[in-house]
């Protein structure tokens, strides 16, 4: 075709077709003229000439004199930095040379640049290594009980078979979260690998003193020793050394995101429902590797009969505020405990509170709101008897927002503040909380309050008290008689 260059592909196609047909037919099939075909046939014995430059090199005046010295002096310099420096030095340089410069630098570094780090792929062995890490899940947009769930996922994986386990972590990357998640994974797996790999537990050590960091290190060694595992860590800042779990992080998050999309909603009734959903997703992934996982189970070490302690122990004193502060979080407890010293076992998601040697109650684990603000875990049942005597204390109570067990109670108080004076609003809110506690009707009462507020009026506490108190009194009394001991002989046919 006149005015168009013959490509190497056309040339090869012509020479291939020429072996089976005439020159005219081969040229037609290759898309070239008959004259070009005769010319190529005559030149076929010689090697094709390489195509040369068709326009002047835009970097000829600066490449050897400026660019190469820059690359030699600063090996890690980015091409875009070299490009900006050239524009600063030479105002007449065309901005369109950026891509040419980047390709030229890439080619130069391939011949003259420094040696680059080589990644050595490893061949894992069955039963050798289990890896643990934490994954930030906040960007998935999961909501529990109507509120966004800011959480992480403890992720455990066997390097050889790909067995995975996940556990929702509501706080930070603490030792208790690591211990609970790791032990849950090993119990579900039914064995322990010979080596336990982490990312140096850097998140657990962050902002801690040297003594605290060494204590956590010792506790982690004791945990691994309990299961007969050797603790190992990757070098700080080199995440690729834990590639057997860093890469699967993304795969697992995408699987969870897909499952949420297929579910049609990211809202869950409670935390247990979300945990069951995650467990189903992870078990589905394990089912696809069932054969390989079963093969690796045979290479694992047997588990000890009991779990290692996966909690921290501390003691606190209950203050006159009706609670205690632990890890910058305020917890309320029954006022009978004011002045007592309590033993506390701190788990990742709960506190087990002991009075002396006896377990007294379980509290949900709280977390501070920010570096400067304390968190609060408040149960209105612990303080309602005192609040009934001093209802105006609710107005400026430091944990007022956390005191309301449901949104309906908070809305009622805020609308009462707008419609009446503060004293009447506090009395109404306290009266409703007392009714919810004494009649055991927190959810039903919240629904009745919501109906009143949606109708544009405040709830009538007298009518609600009469309604729910009457319901409580209408419940039938059940009397249970203790059986006589000789009745057991009669049932057994008189056998001794």
């Amino acid at each position: 075709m006149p005015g168009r260059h013959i490509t190497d592909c056309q040339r090869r196609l012509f020479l291939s077709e020429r072996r089976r047909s005439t020159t005219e037919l081969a040229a037609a099939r290759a898309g070239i003229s008959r004259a070009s075909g005769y010319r190529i046939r005559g030149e076929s014995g010689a090697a094709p000439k390489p195509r040369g430059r068709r326009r002047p090199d835009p970097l000829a005046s600066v490449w050897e004199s400026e660019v190469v010295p820059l690359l030699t002096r600063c090996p890690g310099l980015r091409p875009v930095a070299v490009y900006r420096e050239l524009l600063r030095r030479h105002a007449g340089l065309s901005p369109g040379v950026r891509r040419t410069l980047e390709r030229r630098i890439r080619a130069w570094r391939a011949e003259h640049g420094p040696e680059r780090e080589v990644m050595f792929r490893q061949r894992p062995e069955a039963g050798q290594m289990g890896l643990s890490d934490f994954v930030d899940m906040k960007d998935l947009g999961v909501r529990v009980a109507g509120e966004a769930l800011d959480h992480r996922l403890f992720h455990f994986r066997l390097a050889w078979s790909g067995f995975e386990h996940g556990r929702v972590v509501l706080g930070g990357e603490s030792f208790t979260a690591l211990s609970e998640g790791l032990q849950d994974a090993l119990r579900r797996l039914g064995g322990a690998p010979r080596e336990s790999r982490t990312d140096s537990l850097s998140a657990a050590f962050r902002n801690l003193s040297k003594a605290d960091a060494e204590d956590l290190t010792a506790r982690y060694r004791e945990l691994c020793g309990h299961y007969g595992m050797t603790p190992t860590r990757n070098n700080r800042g080199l995440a690729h050394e834990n590639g057997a779990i860093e890469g699967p992080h993304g795969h697992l998050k995408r699987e969870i995101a897909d499952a949420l999309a297929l579910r049609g909603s990211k809202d869950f009734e409670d935390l247990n429902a979300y945990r069951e959903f995650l467990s189903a997703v992870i078990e589905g992934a394990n089912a696809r590797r069932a054969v390989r996982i079963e093969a690796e189970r045979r290479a694992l070490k047997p588990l000890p009969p009991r779990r290692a302690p996966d909690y921290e122990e501390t003691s606190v004193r209950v203050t006159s505020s009706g609670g205690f502060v632990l890890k910058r979080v305020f917890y309320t407890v029954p006022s009978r405990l004011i002045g007592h010293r309590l033993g506390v076992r701190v788990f990742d998601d709960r506190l087990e509170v002991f009075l002396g040697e006896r377990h007294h109650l379980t509290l949900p684990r709280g977390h501070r709101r920010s570096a400067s603000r304390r968190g609060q875990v408040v149960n209105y049942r612990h303080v309602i008897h005192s609040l009934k005597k001093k209802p105006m204390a609710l107005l400026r109570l430091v944990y007022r927002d956390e005191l309301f067990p449901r949104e309906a109670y908070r809305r009622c108080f805020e609308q009462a503040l707008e419609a009446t004076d503060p004293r009447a609003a506090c009395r109404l809110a306290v009266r409703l909380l007392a009714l919810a506690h004494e009649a055991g009707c927190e959810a039903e009462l919240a629904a009745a309050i919501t109906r009143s507020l949606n109708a544009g009026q405040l709830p009538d506490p007298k009518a609600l008290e009469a309604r729910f108190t009457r319901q409580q009194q209408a419940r039938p009394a059940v009397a249970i008689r203790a059986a006589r001991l000789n009745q057991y002989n009669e049932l057994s046919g008189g056998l001794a």
Side-chain angles (χ1 to χ4, degrees):
M1 303 294 289
R4 298 186 64 179
H5 293 280
I6 298 174
T7 65
D8 292 341
C9 181
Q10 288 176 307
R11 181 185 180 88
R12 288 193 299 270
L13 179 58
F14 169 78
L15 293 175
S16 176
E17 292 293 335
R18 178 64 183 82
R19 300 190 189 99
R20 297 188 295 272
S21 58
T22 63
T23 301
E24 291 81 357
L25 187 56
R29 289 176 176 172
I32 61 177
S33 66
R34 184 178 59 179
S36 297
Y38 281 110
R39 176 174 56 79
I40 293 173
R41 190 186 67 174
E43 298 174 352
S44 59
K49 296 180 180 179
R51 196 178 107 183
R53 177 175 290 279
R54 291 179 292 165
R55 57 182 177 179
D57 183 1
L59 299 174
S61 60
V62 297
W63 178 256
E64 293 293 341
S65 60
E66 299 183 41
V67 177
V68 172
L70 281 175
L71 298 176
T72 304
R73 188 171 69 252
C74 307
L77 197 62
R78 295 184 303 159
V80 66
V82 178
Y83 167 73
R84 290 170 182 165
E85 178 65 14
L86 292 179
L87 291 182
R88 187 186 67 81
R89 295 181 183 182
H90 305 278
L93 189 65
S94 171
V97 303
R98 175 176 175 176
R99 301 303 176 200
T100 302
L101 177 64
E102 289 174 346
R103 288 192 296 269
R104 192 78 60 84
I105 290 176
R106 179 179 174 84
W108 183 89
R109 282 176 170 165
E111 295 186 29
H112 310 287
E115 297 293 339
R116 302 182 65 179
E117 185 177 4
V118 178
M119 302 297 173
F120 298 99
R121 293 178 62 86
Q122 301 293 298
R123 182 182 293 108
E125 298 179 10
Q128 175 63 33
M129 182 183 292
L131 301 100
S132 304
D133 203 357
F134 293 87
V135 193
D136 191 350
M137 307 289 283
K138 182 172 59 176
D139 55 347
L140 290 182
V142 174
R143 297 175 63 85
V144 172
E147 296 185 1
L149 184 65
D150 184 4
H151 67 295
R152 292 175 173 83
L153 186 73
F154 169 81
H155 188 196
F156 174 84
R157 187 173 187 272
L158 289 180
W160 188 79
S161 64
F163 169 86
E164 291 181 301
H165 174 76
R167 176 186 171 86
V168 176
V169 177
L170 299 181
E173 301 176 10
S174 63
F175 174 78
T176 55
L178 172 71
S179 177
E180 288 188 64
L182 178 58
Q183 295 195 74
D184 287 346
L186 297 181
R187 294 291 167 178
R188 183 174 291 273
L189 186 58
R194 294 185 291 276
E195 181 180 338
S196 177
R197 189 72 177 266
T198 67
D199 62 350
S200 299
L201 297 179
S202 58
F205 293 166
R206 189 176 300 137
N207 297 327
L208 296 181
S209 66
K210 182 178 180 181
D212 291 336
E214 290 176 350
D215 177 59
L216 282 176
T217 304
R219 292 172 62 192
Y220 178 62
R221 284 199 300 266
E222 291 173 1
L223 172 64
C224 292
H226 181 75
Y227 288 94
M229 299 185 297
T230 302
T232 61
R233 304 169 181 174
N234 68 316
N235 292 308
R236 189 179 298 274
L238 300 179
H240 66 267
E241 293 184 356
N242 274 2
I245 195 170
E246 292 289 348
H249 282 340
H251 301 317
L252 179 59
K253 286 188 69 173
R254 283 190 289 272
E255 282 203 42
I256 296 173
D258 291 342
L260 288 170
L262 293 173
R263 182 175 180 268
S265 173
K266 296 182 179 180
D267 292 288
F268 295 85
E269 292 183 1
D270 51 34
L271 188 58
N272 286 334
Y274 177 54
R275 282 175 168 157
E276 290 175 1
F277 166 80
L278 283 182
S279 178
V281 173
I282 296 173
E283 287 304 316
N286 287 334
R288 296 192 293 272
R289 314 179 186 104
V291 175
R292 198 169 177 87
I293 291 173
E294 287 301 322
E296 184 161 24
R297 276 196 170 107
R298 294 191 288 270
L300 297 175
K301 293 183 176 182
L303 296 178
R306 291 187 300 273
R307 292 171 65 108
D310 49 9
Y311 52 82
E312 299 177 31
E313 284 190 313
T314 186
S315 63
V316 295
R317 182 173 292 279
V318 182
T319 67
S320 59
S321 298
F324 59 87
V325 176
L326 179 62
K327 295 183 181 293
R328 297 185 59 82
V329 179
F330 174 76
Y331 298 87
T332 60
V333 294
S335 59
R336 299 183 299 274
L337 298 175
I338 290 177
H340 286 270
R341 181 164 289 279
L342 306 175
V344 181
R345 292 179 179 177
V346 184
F347 293 84
D348 176 59
D349 57 352
R350 68 193 187 280
L351 304 183
E352 300 290 347
V353 181
F354 291 79
L355 180 59
E357 299 296 327
R358 186 175 62 85
H359 179 265
H360 193 71
L361 77 160
T362 300
L363 299 174
R365 175 79 181 272
H367 303 281
R368 62 183 183 181
R369 298 176 179 176
S370 63
S372 58
R373 296 185 63 189
R374 286 182 176 179
Q376 286 141 355
V377 177
V378 179
N379 188 334
Y380 72 100
R381 296 181 177 86
H382 294 158
V383 298
I384 189 60
H385 65 286
S386 293
L387 202 56
K388 286 171 62 178
K389 301 175 184 177
K390 298 177 282 188
M392 280 300 292
L394 180 65
L395 186 61
R396 294 181 177 84
L397 190 60
V398 293
Y399 51 78
R400 187 184 70 192
D401 292 339
E402 285 73 18
L403 182 70
F404 298 116
R406 296 174 186 265
E407 180 67 15
Y409 297 90
R410 185 190 62 79
R411 281 183 57 202
C412 179
F413 177 68
E414 292 179 351
Q415 293 189 21
L417 282 177
E418 296 176 358
T420 62
D421 60 281
R423 182 179 297 273
C426 290
R427 285 179 175 175
L428 173 62
V430 171
R431 196 169 176 179
L432 294 175
L433 290 173
L435 176 60
H437 169 58
E438 294 166 1
C441 57
E442 180 185 304
E444 297 85 350
L445 181 57
I449 294 172
T450 301
R451 286 193 294 270
S452 298
L453 296 178
N454 291 341
Q457 58 186 6
L458 293 176
D460 183 0
K462 290 184 179 180
L464 292 174
E465 286 172 351
R467 171 185 168 187
F468 288 103
T469 303
R470 184 167 57 251
Q471 289 180 1
Q472 188 179 29
Q473 292 174 350
R475 296 172 183 170
V478 179
I480 302 176
R481 290 191 310 162
R484 300 190 311 274
L485 295 179
N486 59 3
Q487 289 179 331
Y488 292 99
N489 290 334
E490 295 173 3
L491 290 174
S492 61
L495 297 175

